[in-house]
């Protein structure tokens, strides 16, 4: 089958159309198409072939097209020229159903800048520059404002959650990490441990996969590892006396299990690779991988700009980073050439402050920047995001996709924006 040629001088291409989504498969034969064909015309072709082969689905389906693992976002011939791919060979063109756009759902207003956000199940934790941690449900209702820190809270992380009890951590510019136990029924939160040891403000916090330890990064250039064990004062089932309270407060001061030195500037991001490996980003232009069993650096990636944040995906073994040069960069930890950037993502116009992988789709991540924009990316599309999530009126300071159903972002407009995601688990395959 051929598409009608509007300009014969553009020439023809032979393509094989393939897909991993079996319900959208078309006959496996070469198709002759105009070299400068657009995505819109390719969509018409695939939908026509589906109908002709009796494999039609209800209505027309929107597809995206991949060549050598990269999305084609410009006319096909132009894409081939830019990559110096021969027009003489038959082109293998993969197509995937286009991801549905996330839908704006809620705006959660705070009294000051929102510097961190993380969802778990039906609950959302937020950190604010008004020194509080806040709890919301995913329907947009504010449940609890938790005072305790003496300076802006810069990081939050869930440790555990069930229908009766939640445990989470918060990190602050007051140099402390606090561990909280939340009684869901009574809707009360109690600080069960104050983690002391950092000598300057703490900017990030993350919990390990087995939920037994957490790691924090600080402006003192140190990475510290703490226990997440909860020894609640309510376990005895009685109200403690004044002496017991004083003793409990003393016991609740926690020191680090491990302190790791090596960065030369602020440790801006922390992520667990597994229970014995931590990845950190820093303003010192490096990403470091730490081996806890050896209490030292396992490997290092050096960039030419500061790193403001990083996110690791266990689904694909890759790290995505955010930097002040407006770009995001992809590193493959499985590669033998760890210093090589696998891809650079262009689209933000100001500093990129925060980045997070999808927890259920190996291709997708979100980013937030000082240009007030949140962008949803497929790592196979380096030149353009697949969606822009609009709503913030000032700098975006934090993004989160811990709950696959919700993309969250917090900013210096004092708001958390909640977007409903309808993207299925690795929805590019059946």
């Amino acid at each position: 089958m051929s598409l009608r040629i509007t300009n014969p001088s553009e020439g023809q291409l032979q393509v094989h159309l393939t897909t991993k989504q079996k319900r959208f498969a078309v006959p496996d034969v070469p198709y002759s198409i105009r070299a400068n064909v657009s995505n819109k015309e390719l969509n018409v072709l695939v939908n026509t072939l589906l109908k002709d082969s009796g494999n039609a689905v209800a209505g027309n389906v929107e597809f995206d097209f991949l060549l050598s693992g990269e999305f084609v976002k410009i006319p096909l011939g132009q894409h081939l020229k830019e990559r110096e791919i021969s027009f003489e060979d038959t082109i293998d063109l993969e197509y995937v159903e286009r991801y549905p756009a996330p839908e704006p759902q809620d705006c959660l207003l705070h009294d000051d800048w929102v510097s961190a956000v993380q969802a778990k199940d039906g609950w959302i934790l937020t950190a604010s520059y008004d020194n509080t941690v806040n709890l919301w449900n995913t329907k947009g209702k504010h449940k609890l404002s938790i005072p305790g820190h003496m300076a802006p809270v810069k990081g939050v992380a869930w440790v555990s959650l069930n229908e009766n009890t939640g445990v989470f951590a918060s990190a602050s510019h007051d140099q402390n990490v606090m561990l909280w136990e939340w009684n869901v029924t009574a809707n009360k939160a109690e600080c069960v441990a104050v983690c002391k040891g950092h000598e300057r403000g703490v900017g990030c916090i993350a919990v390990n996969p087995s939920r037994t330890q957490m790691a924090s990064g600080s402006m003192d250039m140190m990475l510290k590892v703490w226990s997440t064990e909860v020894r609640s004062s309510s376990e005895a089932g009685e109200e403690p006396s004044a002496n017991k309270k004083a003793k409990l407060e003393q016991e609740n001061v926690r020191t680090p299990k491990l302190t790791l030195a090596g960065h030369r500037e602020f440790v801006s991001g922390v992520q667990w690779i597994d229970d014995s490996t931590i990845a950190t980003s820093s303003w010192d232009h490096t990403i470091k991988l730490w081996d806890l069993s050896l209490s030292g650096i396992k490997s290092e990636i050096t960039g030419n700009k500061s790193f403001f944040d990083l996110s690791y995906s266990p689904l694909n073994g890759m790290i995505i980073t955010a930097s002040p040069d407006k770009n995001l960069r992809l590193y493959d930890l499985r590669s033998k050439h760890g210093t090589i950037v696998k891809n650079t993502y262009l689209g933000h116009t100001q500093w990129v402050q925060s980045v997070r992988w999808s927890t259920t789709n190996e291709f997708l991540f979100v980013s937030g920047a000082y240009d007030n924009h949140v962008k949803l990316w497929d790592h196979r599309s380096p030149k353009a995001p697949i969606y822009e999530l609009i709503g913030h009126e000032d700098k975006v300071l934090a993004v989160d996709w811990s709950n696959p159903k919700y993309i969250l972002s917090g900013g210096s407009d004092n708001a958390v924006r909640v977007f409903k995601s309808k993207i299925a688990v690795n929805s590019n395959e059946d």
Side-chain angles (χ1 to χ4, degrees):
M1 176 177 178
S2 298
L3 285 184
R4 185 164 55 87
I5 299 174
T6 55
N7 181 357
S9 65
E10 289 179 341
Q12 297 272 113
L13 282 175
Q14 294 290 317
V15 298
H16 260 119
L17 293 167
T18 64
T19 183
K20 295 185 178 76
Q21 296 174 293
K22 293 174 184 174
R23 68 187 185 280
F24 298 134
V26 299
D28 184 19
V29 296
Y31 298 95
S32 180
I33 63 172
R34 182 166 49 83
N36 215 30
V37 65
S38 68
N39 267 16
K40 187 175 180 180
E41 291 168 315
L42 285 169
N43 262 293
V44 171
L45 172 61
V46 173
N47 276 285
T48 302
L49 291 171
L50 284 171
K51 286 171 187 168
D52 290 349
S53 65
N55 202 9
V57 290
N60 275 0
V61 180
E62 291 288 318
F63 295 103
D64 280 314
F65 296 85
L66 292 127
L67 185 63
S68 301
E70 183 182 334
F71 275 114
V72 177
K73 292 292 188 182
I74 53 179
L76 184 56
Q78 188 182 337
H79 185 97
L80 294 173
K81 281 178 188 173
E82 287 184 4
R83 285 149 190 83
E84 297 181 346
I85 297 171
S86 171
F87 282 56
E88 302 300 320
D89 300 329
T90 300
I91 306 299
D92 288 322
L93 201 59
E94 182 185 351
Y95 56 99
V96 296
E97 186 179 11
R98 186 166 295 165
Y99 295 114
E103 297 176 356
Q105 181 169 300
D106 284 305
C107 178
L108 314 179
L109 289 174
H110 294 64
D111 292 334
D112 210 333
W113 292 9
V114 181
S115 46
V117 58
Q118 191 180 83
K120 188 171 178 62
D121 301 334
W123 301 101
I124 299 169
L125 270 177
T126 60
S128 175
Y129 268 70
D130 67 3
N131 306 355
T132 66
V133 176
N134 288 269
L135 266 166
W136 311 73
N137 65 21
T138 49
K139 295 177 181 176
K141 184 178 179 183
H142 185 253
K143 296 295 287 185
L144 196 59
S145 184
I146 306 164
H149 283 292
M150 305 301 290
V153 184
K154 295 288 288 181
V156 286
W158 285 101
V159 177
S160 61
L161 179 64
N162 57 45
E163 59 183 23
N164 300 314
T165 307
V167 177
F168 52 86
S170 56
S172 168
H173 274 178
D174 65 10
Q175 304 180 15
N176 294 330
V177 173
M178 299 179 83
L179 195 62
W180 304 88
E181 187 175 44
W182 173 42
N183 183 318
V184 178
T185 308
N187 195 30
K188 290 182 180 178
E190 173 192 14
C191 177
V192 291
V194 180
C195 302
K196 290 183 175 289
H198 281 296
E199 295 178 0
R200 292 186 68 189
V202 188
C204 51
I205 183 87
V207 177
N208 71 344
S210 64
R211 327 308 286 176
T212 56
Q213 297 185 107
M214 55 187 176
S216 57
S218 167
M219 297 187 81
D220 65 9
M221 303 179 282
M222 299 297 171
L223 170 67
K224 292 182 184 284
V225 179
W226 319 81
S227 168
T228 59
E229 182 188 358
V230 171
R231 298 185 297 272
S232 173
S233 60
S234 59
E235 285 176 0
E238 59 181 25
E239 184 68 26
S241 65
N243 285 340
K244 280 185 179 177
K245 274 186 177 178
K247 188 179 178 186
L248 281 168
E249 284 174 12
Q250 193 174 355
E251 288 176 353
N252 283 356
V253 173
R254 193 166 292 184
T255 54
K257 295 179 72 175
L258 199 57
T259 296
L260 298 165
H263 281 297
R264 301 181 306 280
E265 296 269 359
F266 173 45
V267 181
S268 56
V270 58
Q271 293 269 287
W272 292 80
I273 306 298
D274 53 47
D275 279 341
S276 61
T277 312
I278 297 173
T280 53
S281 62
S282 171
W283 289 3
D284 67 9
H285 300 192
T286 69
I287 298 164
K288 296 187 193 298
L289 294 181
W290 306 82
D291 187 329
L292 300 193
S293 61
L294 300 175
S295 301
I297 298 168
K298 180 157 67 171
S299 60
E300 183 177 291
I301 297 168
T302 303
N304 57 7
K305 297 288 180 185
S306 294
F307 292 110
F308 282 171
D309 195 17
L310 83 166
S311 182
Y312 168 75
S313 172
L315 300 177
N316 59 32
M318 294 192 279
I319 281 176
I320 194 84
T321 63
S323 288
D325 66 355
K326 311 171 192 174
N327 297 332
L328 297 127
R329 290 179 178 82
L330 181 71
Y331 300 88
D332 189 346
L333 297 185
R334 299 166 300 187
S335 169
K336 294 176 182 177
H337 308 286
T339 57
I340 296 176
V341 179
K342 299 300 175 187
N343 249 330
T344 301
Y345 300 85
L346 316 167
H348 283 294
T349 58
Q350 297 289 333
W351 290 4
V352 187
Q353 186 65 30
S354 184
V355 62
R356 286 293 178 270
W357 283 105
S358 163
T359 55
T360 55
N361 189 301
E362 65 178 297
F363 300 112
L364 303 181
F365 62 92
V366 289
S367 62
Y370 277 24
D371 58 13
N372 308 358
H373 288 162
V374 176
K375 296 180 189 286
L376 172 58
W377 304 82
D378 187 302
H379 78 66
R380 300 166 294 183
S381 177
K383 293 195 173 179
I386 57 173
Y387 289 111
E388 300 221 4
L389 311 186
I390 296 167
H392 281 288
E393 297 173 359
D394 209 335
K395 298 184 291 289
V396 180
L397 305 177
V399 291
D400 178 68
W401 204 353
S402 301
N403 182 331
K405 295 179 183 176
Y406 302 98
I407 296 171
L408 310 172
S409 57
S412 52
D413 56 0
N414 301 3
V416 167
R417 293 276 170 179
V418 181
F419 295 86
K420 187 75 183 285
S421 171
K422 295 186 174 181
I423 296 168
V425 177
N426 277 350
S427 58
N428 69 309
E429 298 181 13
D430 281 343

